[in-house]
């Protein structure tokens, strides 16, 4: 068993973060599986509806990621300082708060779903499909939030392999239920949504049962007092991840508005394919950052500066390797991946392949900005982390998606993400260089 206090070689670092990487990949696969079955068994309009309404649903669900990443950093730092009782109280508090937020946000989502979809430009069959899919997903929102949260907290508990097992279990359930509900029972879009909701229920309940009983980790759910100071710290720590997810969803809505204008439903469907692959590829960077965050936080709390510098250096080497591999894979697999979702429509297929070949350049850059933000979260510097995420996922993306289509039409939409990622890497590099002496990395 690898402990947070160990010295981490490349091998140890990969072994410890690998379960978190796979967890994030499996979570990303949920939407991909829904998209595959909906596109091939229900048609282009329901497929466009899934991609159209998903950004709004993700805004509500990403609260769990804020509590998970922010809480994981604070819990790891507290354990590094030797206060295991306080770490357990923080752990219990953020789980209870996240569950309560899930209920409130689900109710809010039901109220806002239709007017929000209409405001983004959905109408007719596209609108009704958005409402159908969204209402079913919202019913499981509290469990989706808990699932997101526990994906991060399993690493802080030193149990990343168990977290991987739970995520794979939920992911396999989603795949099998999609096959049964959509392909066999022919429930169409409703079947895909029900499959995802069931998998989210499984992913949220199993960790609750594990941590509510005596277990092999240092963390267990129990009584806790309401600690405003700790809760604010968790929210500030995780604000960058929350901002990143909310901004990504807002940008997704903006993309949809622009794509309706420049390419219609074909553009939305093509963008959906890009996002599916992007979610999986970026999940590797996010998973590595989530898995490595407790290690960085622990050694920062223990004032082990030499190990902190080593972790920073090794992480950038690994991310460089991942980035090159993903770019090459994106270029080579552009057409095979597009065929999975758009083989039935020649125009949509051609548009998707062309878009993919441009969009793949973003994989060379995104990992560095993602890790840069997560690194400052692990150091409990939520403000700096939030600044990187805010610029990367909202400011730069928004400016690019509004400006580039004016110059390059539809190609400008596909290129805008590449430009935004390049600017984000520059900002992250400047901040990492400027704060190296403060944090001794």
């Amino acid at each position: 068993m690898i402990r947070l206090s160990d010295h981490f070689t490349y091998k140890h670092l990969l072994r410890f973060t690998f379960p978190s990487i796979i967890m994030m990949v499996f979570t990303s696969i949920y939407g991909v599986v829904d998209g595959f079955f909906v596109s091939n068994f229900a048609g282009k309009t329901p497929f466009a509806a899934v991609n159209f309404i998903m950004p709004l649903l993700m805004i509500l669900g990403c609260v769990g990621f804020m509590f998970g990443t922010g809480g994981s950093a604070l819990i790891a730092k507290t354990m590094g300082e030797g206060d295991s009782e306080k770490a357990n109280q923080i752990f219990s508090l953020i789980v209870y708060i996240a569950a309560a937020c899930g209920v409130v946000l689900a109710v809010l989502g039901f109220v806002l779903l239709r007017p929000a979809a209409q405001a983004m430009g959905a109408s007719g069959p596209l609108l009704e499909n958005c409402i159908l899919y969204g209402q079913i997903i919202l019913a499981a929102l509290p469990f989706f939030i808990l699932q997101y949260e526990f994906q991060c907290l399993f690493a802080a508990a030193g149990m990343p392999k168990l977290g991987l097992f739970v995520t794979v279990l939920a992911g396999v359930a989603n795949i099998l239920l999609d096959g049964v509900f959509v392909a066999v029972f022919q429930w169409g879009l409703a079947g895909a949504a029900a499959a995802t909701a069931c998998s989210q229920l499984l992913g949220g309940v199993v960790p609750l049962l594990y941590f509510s009983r005596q277990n092999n980790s240092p963390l267990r759910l129990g009584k806790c007092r309401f600690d405003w100071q700790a809760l604010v710290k968790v929210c500030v720590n995780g604000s960058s991840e929350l901002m990143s997810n909310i901004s990504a969803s807002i940008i997704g809505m903006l993309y949809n508005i622009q794509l309706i204008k420049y390419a219609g439903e074909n553009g939305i469907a093509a963008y959906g394919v890009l996002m599916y692959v992007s979610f999986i590829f970026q999940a590797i960077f996010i998973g590595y950052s989530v898995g490595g965050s407790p290690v960085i936080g622990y050694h920062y709390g223990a004032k082990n500066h030499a190990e902190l510098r080593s972790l920073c250096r090794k992480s950038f080497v690994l991310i460089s390797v991942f980035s090159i591999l993903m770019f090459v894979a994106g270029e080579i697999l552009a057409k095979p991946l597009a065929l999975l979702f758009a083989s039935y429509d020649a125009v949509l297929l051609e548009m998707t392949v062309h878009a993919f070949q441009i969009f793949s350049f973003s994989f060379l850059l995104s990992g560095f900005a993602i890790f840069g933000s997560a690194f400052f979260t692990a150091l409990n510097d939520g403000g700096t982390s939030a600044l990187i995420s805010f610029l990367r996922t909202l400011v730069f993306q928004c400016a690019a998606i509004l400006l580039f289509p004016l110059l390059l039409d539809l190609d400008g939409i596909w290129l805008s993400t590449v430009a935004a990622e390049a600017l984000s890497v520059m900002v992250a590099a400047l901040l990492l260089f400027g704060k190296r002496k403060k944090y001794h990395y």
Side-chain angles (χ1 to χ4, degrees), residues 232-298:
V232 169
K233 186 67 174 175
V234 166
C235 292
V236 171
N237 282 348
S239 62
S240 60
E241 281 70 24
L242 178 66
M243 177 59 65
S244 178
N245 282 273
I246 290 178
S247 299
S249 295
I250 292 172
I251 292 302
M253 297 175 190
L254 187 56
Y255 265 95
N256 286 333
I257 292 170
Q258 290 285 72
L259 285 165
I260 284 180
K261 177 181 177 182
Y262 283 90
E265 279 190 13
N266 276 345
I268 296 174
Y271 178 65
V273 178
L274 296 187
M275 287 301 98
Y276 289 153
V277 179
S278 179
F279 288 157
I280 294 174
F281 280 20
Q282 291 198 13
I284 295 173
F285 296 129
I286 296 170
Y288 177 84
S289 300
V290 167
S293 181
V295 181
I296 293 167
Y298 182 94

Side-chain angles (χ1 to χ4, degrees), residues 52 140 186 338 375 389:
F52 195 87
Q186 297 185 346
F375 184 72
S389 290

